[in-house]
Amino acid sequence: MRTGVECLIDGLKKAGVKTIFGLPGGSVLDIFNKLYHAPFEFILARHEQGATHMADGYARASGKVGCCLATSGPGATNTVTGLANANMDSIPLVCITGQVPTPMIGNDAFQEADITGITRPVTKHNYLVRNVDELPRIIAEAFHIAATGRPGPVLIDIPKDVQRASTSAPTPDAVDIRSYHPTTDGHPKQIARLAEAINKAARPLLYVGGGAIAGNAAAEVAALAHKSGLPVTTTLLGLGAFPETDALALRMLGMHGSVTANYATHHCDLLVSIGARFDDRVTGKISEFAPKARIAHIDIDPSAISKSVPVDIPVVGDVKSILRALLPHVDSGERKEWREQIMAWKEKHPFSYDRDSKKLMPQYVIEQIYSLTKGEAVIVTEVGQHQMWAAQYYKYTQPRTFISSGGLGTMGFGLPAAIGAQIARPDKIVVDISGDGSAQMNFQEVVVAVEHNVPIKIVILNNGYLGMVRQWQELFYKKEYSATRLGQAERGKNENIKTKKGAKYLPDFVRLAEAHGALGLRVEARAQVEATLKKAFTHDGPVVVECMVEPEANVYPMVPAGASLTEMIQSMA
């Protein structure tokens, strides 16, 4: 006989869990009592949202299922943003929450929350365990569901009495869920149709998303591109799926993508989507997206096919196995005329900014990070302008080296995700590129990096604004900066900030880093960047580098929301 908690510990061992991120509380005290003696590394986060992002970053960097643990009520509800973030980006993680005893469910007991009801829209699947006999099976199923098909987060809510109850039910050796059998092999006729379409196309284009990384298909994407001379563009989450230093790489497409990628998408005659989902930041105005192209879509999730954009050739299944089946049927070729056109666009429209400016430009800082790390770091970002500059000015050549919140756009994601990524990849320099707005959302987790000597480098591009929102206000709201200034000066009257004496910027990130036990450094001029970053990257511990950058630098190019990809704003001029 085993208690529910013992079943949980055995299930986690069998699932291969090495690290758990979380916080204790009243409803999970029995679990924590057993964890005290269990062979897992436990990372005590300072907020449950931080714990879920750590598990998320761990999963993205390692390719394994992340695991986090929280108590009932507010502990559980604090995981919702992290679960929604993982769900939008198809990240495999298992979140375990405690619950009040089953007889008290529905009675508004202390720290009760219907977490399975709350998280149903933001998880791939969830469980409320009412019978301890079911717990061993549920744990095994949760890890299976999280990692197979289209990956995603799974929540297991375990009432306190179920944790203490005993059962003789064994932990299953295999999982077989009658209604859950994801399709992995693509249909041979559809694969043949896709091969024929590629062979006949004069201006084909590969459009690669995060599914190619989740499916470990980077080598197959490269083989297809090189065999048939297919140019490659990626989504934000697809960065690293194809080397951006390759002559066939067009870089990212969409709202802040490269001019070349957007023009190529508009003019191609065949668009082959590989593990991407046609989100609105990519398509812009859907009726004018790839208007001259037949569209093929390879995806393991059949519900993603034709969800946003009508698809001519659907191929449902595992990206890696489909590309392997496709490769023998595509012709070798160079597509000389198409590639010459693309090369002309690339030469005419590179990512650019004012390189002669005497001010500290944020793009320059990222270029220096790329140079000093030789493009081999794991870059994690928060959300905002810095996220887009990190996508534009750092070139990614390997999968799982760019980690960011794509679908949900979660400010506060990067710092805890960087901790998870660094634990998963201790052999890499992990750099969290942040804005000053995002940095303030989960900065408390720095102490976790200090405690465990997780040597992440946090580079804050401090422009004193919620920068991306300010950019939209500048371009589309007549420069009325409503609630986007983070300094005390020039705030709106409605914010009622007294600035007559001692207006200043808060917080002091260097002192904040030091207060948490990390090394804090500040850069105020271009000439200080290289030496300061070198000091940070060679320091044996977490470092916060605050870079005081040009406040009103913007991200270009920019496709306004709802516009065609060809309607790019490339500067204020």
Side-chain angles (χ1 to χ4, degrees), residues 239-256:
L239 293 175
F242 186 76
E244 293 193 295
T245 52
D246 193 291
L248 288 168
L250 311 186
R251 314 289 302 277
M252 183 175 73
L253 81 165
M255 179 174 281
H256 294 295

Side-chain angles (χ1 to χ4, degrees), residues 374-525:
K374 299 180 173 57
E376 295 179 353
V378 173
I379 301 297
V380 186
T381 79
E382 303 285 349
V383 170
Q385 286 181 310
H386 62 276
Q387 179 189 31
M388 295 299 120
W389 287 319
Q392 294 176 338
Y393 291 93
Y394 197 102
K395 294 180 181 178
Y396 303 89
T397 59
Q398 297 292 325
R400 305 191 186 281
T401 57
F402 178 77
I403 293 174
S404 191
S405 171
L408 196 63
T410 307
M411 293 173 68
F413 165 80
L415 199 163
I419 293 173
Q422 184 76 83
I423 290 171
R425 294 299 308 270
D427 57 317
K428 290 280 191 180
I429 293 178
V430 175
V431 183
D432 172 35
I433 296 177
S434 175
D436 47 321
S438 284
Q440 294 181 61
M441 290 202 170
N442 270 318
F443 196 89
Q444 78 282 349
E445 305 299 349
V446 167
V447 75
V448 177
V450 173
E451 284 180 339
H452 292 270
N453 197 31
V454 179
I456 57 171
K457 315 306 175 189
I458 304 157
V459 178
I460 300 173
L461 303 178
N462 187 345
N463 59 12
Y465 284 103
L466 298 171
M468 188 61 88
V469 185
R470 183 209 58 75
Q471 177 171 331
W472 283 54
Q473 289 173 336
E474 176 183 351
L475 297 175
F476 309 119
Y477 293 88
K478 302 177 182 178
K479 281 195 168 187
E480 293 179 342
Y481 294 159
S482 179
T484 49
R485 286 188 170 92
L486 295 176
Q488 292 181 329
E490 301 182 66
R491 297 276 281 270
K493 291 181 180 178
N494 61 322
E495 294 185 60
N496 197 28
I497 301 293
K498 308 300 182 186
T499 58
K500 291 182 179 178
K501 293 182 179 179
K504 56 186 178 182
Y505 182 85
L506 296 171
D508 181 325
F509 283 105
V510 173
R511 295 175 67 186
L512 192 60
E514 292 169 349
H516 286 76
L519 175 64
L521 304 170
R522 181 173 289 118
V523 173
E524 296 183 294

Side-chain angles (χ1 to χ4, degrees), residues 203-440:
R203 300 184 306 280
L205 178 65
L206 297 185
Y207 153 52
V208 181
I213 295 174
N216 298 312
E220 286 74 15
V221 169
L224 176 62
H226 291 145
K227 182 176 182 181
S228 285
L230 303 177
V232 182
T233 183
T234 71
T235 66
L236 179 72
L237 295 186
L239 293 175
F242 186 76
E244 293 193 295
T245 52
D246 193 291
L248 288 168
L250 311 186
R251 314 289 302 277
M252 183 175 73
L253 81 165
M255 179 174 281
H256 294 295
S258 74
V259 174
T260 303
N262 287 345
Y263 279 169
T265 303
H266 190 78
H267 291 283
C268 70
D269 62 357
L270 175 68
L271 184 73
V272 182
S273 170
I274 301 175
R277 62 186 180 88
F278 298 91
D279 80 275
D280 61 291
R281 286 295 193 266
V282 162
T283 62
K285 188 176 184 179
I286 287 180
S287 63
E288 295 181 17
F289 177 73
K292 303 167 186 174
R294 297 181 72 198
I295 293 181
H297 190 179
I298 304 172
D299 204 293
I300 200 164
D301 181 1
S303 72
I305 304 293
S306 295
K307 187 173 185 177
S308 301
V309 173
V311 170
D312 301 294
I313 307 173
V315 190
V316 175
D318 174 70
V319 169
K320 190 181 187 78
S321 67
I322 289 171
L323 292 180
R324 284 184 171 181
L326 176 68
L327 271 164
H329 302 290
V330 297
D331 297 336
S332 299
E334 295 186 355
R335 321 273 180 184
K336 186 177 178 182
E337 186 176 342
W338 178 225
R339 289 176 63 178
E340 286 177 351
Q341 172 62 76
I342 284 172
M343 185 58 68
W345 284 330
K346 288 172 79 170
E347 291 178 355
K348 187 175 182 181
H349 303 288
F351 288 123
S352 64
Y353 64 96
D354 183 3
R355 297 178 189 277
D356 297 326
S357 175
K358 295 181 180 179
K359 299 175 181 177
L360 178 54
M361 302 301 289
Q363 300 94 329
Y364 175 77
V365 176
I366 293 171
E367 286 180 331
Q368 289 301 300
I369 295 172
Y370 175 70
S371 175
L372 292 171
T373 60
K374 299 180 173 57
E376 295 179 353
V378 173
I379 301 297
V380 186
T381 79
E382 303 285 349
V383 170
Q385 286 181 310
H386 62 276
Q387 179 189 31
M388 295 299 120
W389 287 319
Q392 294 176 338
Y393 291 93
Y394 197 102
K395 294 180 181 178
Y396 303 89
T397 59
Q398 297 292 325
R400 305 191 186 281
T401 57
F402 178 77
I403 293 174
S404 191
S405 171
L408 196 63
T410 307
M411 293 173 68
F413 165 80
L415 199 163
I419 293 173
Q422 184 76 83
I423 290 171
R425 294 299 308 270
D427 57 317
K428 290 280 191 180
I429 293 178
V430 175
V431 183
D432 172 35
I433 296 177
S434 175
D436 47 321
S438 284
Q440 294 181 61

